[in-house]
Amino acid sequence: MKNDLDVVFKALADESRRELLDRLRTENGQTLGDLCARLSKSGAVMTRQAVSKHLAILEDANLVATIKRGREKLHYLNPVLIHEIGERWIGKFERSRLDALSTLKKELEAKNE
Amino acid sequence: MSKQSFVYVTYIKTTPEKLWAALTDPAMMKKYWFGAFAETDWKPGSAWSLRFEDGRIADAGTILEAEPGKRLVIRWRNEWSEEIKAEGWSRCTMTLELYQGIMKLTVHHELEGDGKKFIEAVSGGWPRILSNLKSLLETGSVAYETKA
């Protein structure tokens, strides 16, 4: 079934697929062509076939949602399952403390650069 | 690609009728929408508003399409924040499909033009609302009672 967690974690256990999710987070609703063009611009090595295969795996895991617009297929980051995973292991009252920790980490690491 | 748009998909073990009721019945909405509920007769062309628990208007607009159990399209604008309201109109399309015996709900929310505040509001809101909705329909209770 589509929201099987094994499928989700398998899909996430690949650097290229996480890279694609990052790209969609930066710019949502890209076509396969948009993604490939931006990847090659930034010097990433991923063939169009590989991108297409990874997108299919991400879509199957429901981490990417697609909308058809004319002949184009637009890809969107679908964070609903990632949200549910977070919900499962983050307690109701821990969220604000975790947010504070994560902000602190980001600030300190930015200063080190 | 200046048009801002988001797509959220969730699979819910339920029927088209129950999902439609959850999306349109104010009493059901309150349970997973942090107390908020819609005020409309769900007919194409009718006014629509989303109200906070205390009755204040959060968002308002018009029902563009309503096909029970299948599709709901709302012309949508924020009302409670001057900043977000100034970013203009958006369009929210909810599609309900039967997929391998369960329901696939797709929420496509698009804003004409750029809208930074709108993006924050949408991307912070929908994942929680949809998680709550799924949990309510599958287990009878929600993960989030109040907005953190």
Side-chain angles (χ1 to χ4, degrees), chain B residues 67-86:
Chain B
E67 209 183 322
K70 286 194 173 154
R71 192 175 153 84
L72 187 57
V73 186
I74 303 170
R75 188 160 191 258
W76 184 312
R77 190 175 65 179
N78 183 281
E79 288 290 332
W80 63 268
S81 149
E82 284 302 322
E83 267 181 302
I84 312 180
K85 188 175 179 176

Side-chain angles (χ1 to χ4, degrees), chain A residues 12-109:
Chain A
L12 288 172
D14 181 283
E15 203 181 347
S16 303
R17 289 197 284 272
R18 292 193 299 271
E19 166 82 23
L20 290 174
L21 292 179
D22 287 336
R23 299 266 167 171
L24 291 177
R25 185 171 189 263
T26 312
E27 183 144 11
N28 226 348
Q30 297 189 58
T31 62
L32 174 61
D34 295 333
L35 277 163
C36 290
R38 291 198 173 89
L39 280 164
S40 73
K41 222 182 197 173
S42 62
V45 189
M46 232 192 283
T47 63
R48 192 181 171 91
Q49 288 86 339
V51 175
S52 164
K53 192 190 81 186
H54 286 315
L55 285 175
I57 292 169
L58 289 167
E59 192 178 352
D60 202 46
N62 198 22
L63 291 166
V64 162
T66 60
I67 290 280
K68 283 212 174 91
R69 177 156 293 161
R71 276 199 270 156
E72 287 182 330
K73 191 175 181 187
L74 308 179
H75 299 80
Y76 291 84
L77 172 64
N78 179 30
V80 177
L81 279 179
I82 293 170
H83 174 80
E84 279 164 21
I85 291 167
E87 197 130 291
R88 177 165 164 181
W89 286 294
I90 298 173
K92 225 178 196 173
F93 304 104
E94 287 164 4
R95 195 168 297 271
S96 58
R97 276 172 281 168
L98 289 172
D99 284 348
L101 266 180
S102 152
T103 307
L104 177 67
K105 181 180 158 73
K106 268 183 221 152
E107 276 176 15
L108 291 174
E109 289 180 349

Side-chain angles (χ1 to χ4, degrees), chain A residues 1-3 27-30 34 38 62 65-67 69 76-80 83-84 87 92 95, chain B residues 1 3 5-11 13 99-100 102 106 108 110 127-128 130-131 134 143-145:
Chain A
M1 210 183 59
K2 283 248 177 174
N3 36 14
E27 183 144 11
N28 226 348
Q30 297 189 58
D34 295 333
R38 291 198 173 89
N62 198 22
T66 60
I67 290 280
R69 177 156 293 161
Y76 291 84
L77 172 64
N78 179 30
V80 177
H83 174 80
E84 279 164 21
E87 197 130 291
K92 225 178 196 173
R95 195 168 297 271
Chain B
M1 273 204 294
K3 202 171 182 178
S5 119
F6 293 86
V7 179
Y8 301 107
V9 172
T10 186
Y11 291 84
K13 290 182 200 107
Y99 179 91
Q100 294 182 1
I102 63 171
T106 304
H108 186 195
E110 309 162 86
R128 289 175 152 212
L130 293 178
S131 288
K134 178 181 166 72
Y144 280 100
E145 293 281 341

